[in-house]
Amino acid sequence: MSSREFAKSLIDQIPESKMMYIIAYLQGAALPDEMPNAETRAAIEEVDEMIAGGQGDHFAGSTADFFAQLLKE
């Protein structure tokens, strides 16, 4: 039995009352080991600065509405 198969069999034995702890742990473990590259970090910093400065536009519609608006421009 592989480690993955063993982990899956253990999950079936965990009571529902403890599953939220397991899920939180698994979500953290599922994150990629790689950090965002320099370009992505710069983009994130730019957005953070825009938010802090109250700049930029906020779109509150659906994704479909957003793309429709982009196609009009």
Side-chain angles (χ1 to χ4, degrees):
M1 175 182 292
S2 73
S3 295
R4 184 176 301 276
E5 291 169 328
F6 181 55
K8 288 178 181 179
S9 71
L10 289 174
I11 287 175
D12 290 336
Q13 299 173 40
I14 297 170
E16 192 65 34
S17 62
K18 294 183 180 179
M19 284 304 292
M20 64 181 173
Y21 303 110
I22 303 304
I23 291 169
Y25 180 81
L26 291 173
Q27 285 176 323
L31 293 174
D33 290 335
E34 300 174 13
M35 295 299 293
N37 64 27
E39 183 179 3
T40 302
R41 285 193 307 271
I44 292 169
E45 289 172 12
E46 181 180 356
V47 169
D48 287 342
E49 289 172 14
M50 289 173 66
I51 291 169
Q55 302 166 330
D57 295 322
H58 176 76
F59 187 82
S62 69
T63 305
D65 293 339
F66 178 71
F67 282 110
Q69 179 179 337
L70 288 176
L71 292 173
K72 287 182 193 175
E73 294 177 4

